[in-house]
Amino acid sequence: MGLEAVHLEAHTVRVRGLVQGVGFRPHVWRLARTLGLVGSVANDGDGVAIKLWAAQPMLMEFIARLTIEAPPLARIDAIETVATTGTAPPDFTILASHASAPRTAIVPDAATCPACRAELFDPADRRFGYAFGNCTHCGPRLSIIRAIPYDRANTAMAPFAMCEACFAEYTNPADRRFHAQPTACRDCGPRLWFEGGAGLELGSNPLDAAARMLHAGGIVAIKGIGGFHLACNALSDAAVALLRKRKARDAKPFALMAGSLAEVRRFSDVSAEAAALLASPAAPIVLLPLRDGGDALPDSVAPGQDHVGFMLPYAPLHHLLLARMDGPLVMTSANHADEPQVIANAESRVGLVDLADGWLMHERDIVNRLDDSVMALARCGPVIIRRARGYAPAPIRLHADFAGLPPVLAMGGELKASFCMARDGEAVVSQHIGDLEDAAALGDYRRMLALYRDLFDFTPAVVAVDAHADYLSSQTGAALARECGARLVRVAHHHAHFAACLADAGLGIAAADGTLGLILDGLGLGTDGTLWGGELLAGGYGGARRVGGIVALPLPGGAAAMKQPWRNLVAHLRGAFGEGWQARAGAVAQHLPTAEKLNVIERMIDTGTNCPPCSSAGRLFDAVAAALGFYPQSIGHEAQAAMALEACARSFVTEAGAYPAQMDAGVVSWAPLWGALLEDLAARTPSGVIAARFHNGFVSALVGLVVAQAEPGMRVVLSGGVMQNRILLDGMVRGLQQAGLRPVWHAQVPANDGGLSLGQAVLGAVMANRDLN
Ligand SMILES: [Zn+2]
Ligand SMILES: [Zn+2]
């Protein structure tokens, strides 16, 4: 031994990425012991630092297995090895973090891992049937943390003192539960119970009681990881209809939770990519196509949709409950209308009293509200529609160009709000928080800001806000900048979308120059003070100018036009055919309100009263939906008409052909499209075909607009909420590629306003840096 030791060289191996709080140190410890190596491992400010005495071949094996056998929640971005000196210790040890060392990173909440799931259903295991088991590879994280540092005392697990058996696992580096802060068992962890109305506890087995109520067609409020759900038997038309009635929600699709992939396949086509997403630790809702010849779901689950959102159980509680059902459950956020999801027991008893028949709840507090994340699969890859549980707060890596820029806090938009902290070449984007006009969501937004700043020890040098100074996020940001003495920068809405997509795709500052950006969304304040929503920009991170877009038309009644699609139909028909439009309206007339109401709208348009000009792609979709008679009165949420149009078009898109559009000097207008659409309506062409021709016409017009401005091989960013329409995204990607251009689209943050904060952050950094130099 003594002689051999002479040949061992000392090395420092540094691992960067998501390697703290995911069981990485015990992984290193076990690997070193397996290979008979001596040294030590510790967390530090840059990740994990390993000191190792090993001959070269053994070092190579160690590094290879470090990656291959990494714990499931780890993400290794880089491994660097340098030679060092020192005397070899007698064995390999895990060093405790120094008091001065930076905080252990918080990782996203992770779905029950296979090992914990196996224990749950193993009668010989001490956690058999226990609803709160977890380990280093799974369990709640962001949802339970109150303060830093991340240890049990600062989480919702503080009241539950570990029993001897749990403590032994927790302190044993060879155990899967080594330093798993939320670890628990039946003897020491949270308790589950079932309540009927008025807080009355029912039944000796809460899971059996809840399952009985669900089987009987009742609605059960279930406390989960990031909030309460309202659940009912998804196969019972009556139960789903009852839930819709109580929630006063007519059309917005419900998400489902199925016990297994096999069960999802009963109803939907599940590609390999979709299966991997469903079964991933993030366990998002995945929008899946309903399967031809598959088992039927009641229409009321997702009226008018050809896709349904499915997720798999992601907490032991869900596994145990689904094992008692014969089919999927509707699992929808427990809330009223547009309010955030309920998270507290007391709040649920009061707030859900008119919604639920029973409550399955427990003693572990949900500290931080986290909605279920939503993913969809376009032909060009997975797209994220809502980024929350399972994804936040994992940092997004930016291009190396951003490594040296000042720390920026970006405040996001007003709807689908998120904020973003960018520093050291990484961006931490908060979970989707919701619409800040809702007081509870605004409260959450402010609380999350304070928590994230603590968790990541973040002091901004720059605060970036939307140019729209009235946004509550902009106001909060302005106040915060004053408070921390940070510089406030205002970022144009559509430039932020543009930059979010560039950053999402990992593009550097120089590489992004000379990019085109097609930004299609509902509404945002343009740089000329008008409302934008269908713009072609040219530029990069340093700036972008508008080089073309969709024709601007009046938005009759401003905000009212967001709720009532027919107002946009009037604006579009008048825009296409002028004052005589009513003579051309034909079959569309039946979907318009009374002559009296129309006269009012016309007068408003004539006089420009409360009719701001607006180039929104979203409002064009509303107008077409209105022409087809969708939503004659009003819509419940902004994208509803567009979603219905997309679903109705999907199966006709390949064959249907395209409506023509018109382009003059970089502006696309729609008179030919409306002419052809009205003819189709008069000929009683099916709605699906009309919707498909509209989608195809829209794609071809916009691709034409881009191509007219592009030089060969140019990058073209596709962003804005309308890009979440997969027919459009796939169509644009294909059309631009065929034209020899390089489309760039979103993958890590949503194309809608949920991704805005990432764009603001990188723009804030670039602007501040440019002004310094
Ligand atoms: Zn586990
Ligand atoms: Zn225990």
Side-chain angles (χ1 to χ4, degrees):
M1 176 70 199
L3 265 181
E4 277 173 29
V6 174
H7 303 291
L8 296 181
E9 297 148 20
H11 310 273
T12 298
V13 180
R14 163 155 298 293
V15 188
R16 295 175 208 275
L18 273 185
V19 289
Q20 298 186 358
V22 294
F24 207 83
R25 287 179 308 156
H27 158 58
V28 172
W29 179 87
R30 281 191 291 271
L31 182 57
R33 296 222 160 185
T34 307
L35 298 176
L37 303 175
V38 301
S40 62
V41 57
N43 283 337
D44 70 8
D46 291 323
V48 163
I50 305 163
K51 222 165 168 197
L52 204 63
W53 276 259
Q56 202 61 33
M58 199 56 109
L59 177 70
M60 302 305 283
E61 178 170 357
F62 175 84
I63 287 172
R65 288 177 66 178
L66 208 54
T67 306
I68 296 165
E69 297 168 18
L73 301 183
R75 184 189 81 198
I76 297 175
D77 292 342
I79 300 180
E80 293 145 23
T81 308
V82 292
T84 180
T85 52
T87 315
D91 56 8
F92 195 93
T93 50
I94 296 179
L95 302 181
S97 305
H98 303 288
S100 65
R103 296 113 182 210
T104 302
I106 295 295
V107 296
D109 300 75
T112 310
C113 73
C116 286
R117 192 174 56 224
E119 290 174 352
L120 199 56
F121 294 103
D122 174 5
D125 193 275
R126 72 189 192 88
R127 288 187 179 84
F128 174 62
Y130 179 60
F132 304 96
N134 60 77
C135 73
T136 316
H137 310 317
C138 72
R141 296 289 190 275
L142 178 60
S143 61
I144 58 166
I145 189 160
R146 292 184 200 280
I148 44 109
Y150 174 56
D151 54 37
R152 194 176 179 96
N154 283 326
T155 71
M157 288 302 290
F160 307 99
M162 265 183 243
C163 69
E164 250 175 63
C166 283
F167 188 72
E169 293 164 342
Y170 178 85
T171 46
N172 175 7
D175 194 279
R176 203 171 90 243
R177 294 189 164 88
F178 179 69
H179 284 196
Q181 303 303 341
T183 187
C185 75
R186 203 186 301 276
D187 294 332
C188 64
R191 194 177 69 89
L192 185 71
W193 69 89
F194 183 75
E195 288 180 14
L200 221 67
E201 212 172 304
L202 294 179
S204 54
N205 185 321
L207 289 157
D208 288 345
R212 258 198 313 277
M213 186 171 276
L214 291 165
H215 277 296
I219 294 166
V220 177
I222 300 173
K223 187 181 189 180
I225 297 291
F228 275 75
H229 287 105
L230 288 170
C232 74
N233 177 359
L235 300 184
S236 159
D237 212 349
V240 180
L242 179 66
L243 179 55
R244 271 204 190 280
K245 187 162 155 243
R246 288 194 191 164
K247 271 199 101 177
R249 173 156 145 165
D250 354 319
K252 203 170 174 183
F254 286 135
L256 306 184
M257 183 180 275
S260 64
L261 273 177
E263 194 166 285
V264 180
R265 290 199 169 95
R266 279 176 58 195
F267 308 94
S268 296
D269 287 320
V270 184
S271 64
E273 205 173 19
L277 273 176
L278 285 165
S280 69
I285 295 169
V286 183
L287 301 183
L288 296 169
L290 290 170
R291 184 159 70 82
D292 276 344
D295 288 1
L297 289 166
D299 286 339
S300 49
V301 167
Q305 294 296 309
D306 60 341
H307 280 55
V308 173
F310 268 103
M311 59 184 152
L312 292 178
Y314 54 83
L317 168 59
H318 299 147
H319 282 286
L320 294 168
L321 184 60
L322 265 294
R324 286 165 168 80
M325 303 301 301
D326 322 310
L329 292 174
V330 164
M331 289 281 267
T332 187
S333 298
N335 58 355
H336 280 275
D338 295 327
E339 293 169 16
Q341 198 173 10
V342 169
I343 57 173
N345 291 355
E347 181 194 10
S348 83
R349 289 186 189 108
V350 180
L352 306 179
V353 70
D354 52 346
L355 300 178
D357 301 304
W359 282 252
L360 184 61
M361 48 187 182
H362 57 75
E363 297 176 296
R364 191 176 67 203
D365 288 347
I366 297 170
V367 180
N368 303 311
R369 196 187 324 265
L370 283 160
D371 287 296
D372 293 316
S373 294
V374 182
M375 302 283 295
L377 290 151
R379 233 183 277 275
C380 61
V383 290
I384 190 159
I385 292 179
R386 184 167 68 201
R387 184 179 178 278
R389 178 188 51 74
Y391 295 101
I396 291 165
R397 286 185 81 193
L398 302 173
H399 187 274
D401 287 357
F402 292 98
L405 302 185
V408 183
L409 173 63
M411 307 302 288
E414 182 86 336
L415 304 175
K416 303 181 175 70
S418 69
F419 57 83
C420 172
M421 302 181 313
R423 177 179 63 191
D424 299 337
E426 286 190 334
V428 171
V429 178
S430 77
Q431 73 267 32
H432 159 97
I433 291 172
D435 299 351
L436 298 185
E437 279 173 5
D438 178 87
L442 183 63
D444 258 14
Y445 175 80
R446 292 183 168 149
R447 238 165 27 78
M448 286 303 109
L449 262 171
L451 177 71
Y452 272 63
R453 284 183 58 202
D454 257 0
L455 292 179
F456 294 91
D457 190 17
F458 191 88
T459 308
V462 177
V463 175
V465 299
D466 192 278
H468 208 306
D470 289 345
Y471 280 0
L472 290 163
S473 56
S474 304
Q475 292 172 7
T476 308
L480 227 146
R482 278 195 300 275
E483 206 176 284
C484 352
R487 189 177 151 196
L488 184 71
V489 298
R490 297 188 187 275
V491 177
H493 189 90
H494 295 88
H495 193 203
H497 274 306
F498 189 158
C501 193
L502 291 170
D504 189 334
L507 287 167
I509 295 171
D513 266 343
T515 300
L516 290 173
L518 187 59
I519 317 298
L520 308 177
D521 68 354
L523 282 184
L525 188 62
T527 49
D528 58 0
T530 67
L531 295 171
W532 285 10
E535 320 312 313
L536 181 63
L537 307 179
Y541 291 109
R545 66 199 168 87
R546 186 176 184 281
V547 294
I550 293 178
V551 63
L553 291 170
L555 186 67
M562 310 289 280
K563 293 269 178 204
Q564 299 178 325
W566 63 263
R567 288 173 181 260
N568 299 296
L569 177 58
V570 172
H572 267 274
L573 291 178
R574 207 167 181 278
F577 307 121
E579 282 178 13
W581 68 272
Q582 293 209 40
R584 302 277 303 265
V588 164
Q590 60 179 312
H591 305 310
L592 291 173
T594 57
E596 200 181 336
K597 253 187 174 171
L598 284 182
N599 284 339
V600 174
I601 296 294
E602 292 237 62
R603 262 203 312 279
M604 284 169 64
I605 294 176
D606 284 340
T607 57
T609 313
N610 197 13
C611 282
C614 150
S615 52
S616 165
R619 302 294 76 82
L620 170 63
F621 277 73
D622 287 353
V624 173
L628 293 177
F630 296 176
Y631 314 111
Q633 301 303 323
S634 68
I635 48 172
H637 62 103
E638 203 212 337
Q640 193 174 345
M643 280 172 65
L645 213 53
E646 177 185 359
C648 155
R650 198 171 333 263
S651 50
F652 301 96
V653 161
T654 322
E655 305 288 333
Y659 290 140
Q662 190 176 327
M663 188 169 62
D664 297 304
V667 177
V668 178
S669 56
W670 308 109
L673 181 145
W674 283 108
L677 192 150
L678 292 180
E679 275 173 34
D680 269 353
L681 274 177
R684 297 183 184 280
T685 306
S687 298
V689 174
I690 293 180
R693 287 177 180 160
F694 163 66
H695 274 82
N696 291 341
F698 186 84
V699 166
S700 115
L702 275 290
V703 167
L705 172 73
V706 173
V707 169
Q709 300 288 335
E711 285 159 33
M714 257 189 171
R715 282 201 181 88
V716 184
V717 158
L718 301 172
S719 190
V722 173
M723 284 299 175
Q724 296 198 319
N725 177 319
R726 270 113 56 219
I727 299 176
L728 295 190
L729 179 62
D730 284 328
M732 303 275 182
V733 167
R734 200 171 38 233
L736 294 172
Q737 283 171 341
Q738 280 167 357
L741 300 171
R742 287 185 290 168
V744 178
W745 61 93
H746 283 275
Q748 304 182 76
V749 298
N752 63 29
D753 283 6
L756 212 54
S757 62
L758 175 64
Q760 294 169 347
V762 291
L763 289 182
V766 170
M767 283 160 78
N769 194 54
R770 186 180 49 199
D771 296 350
L772 285 177
N773 293 332

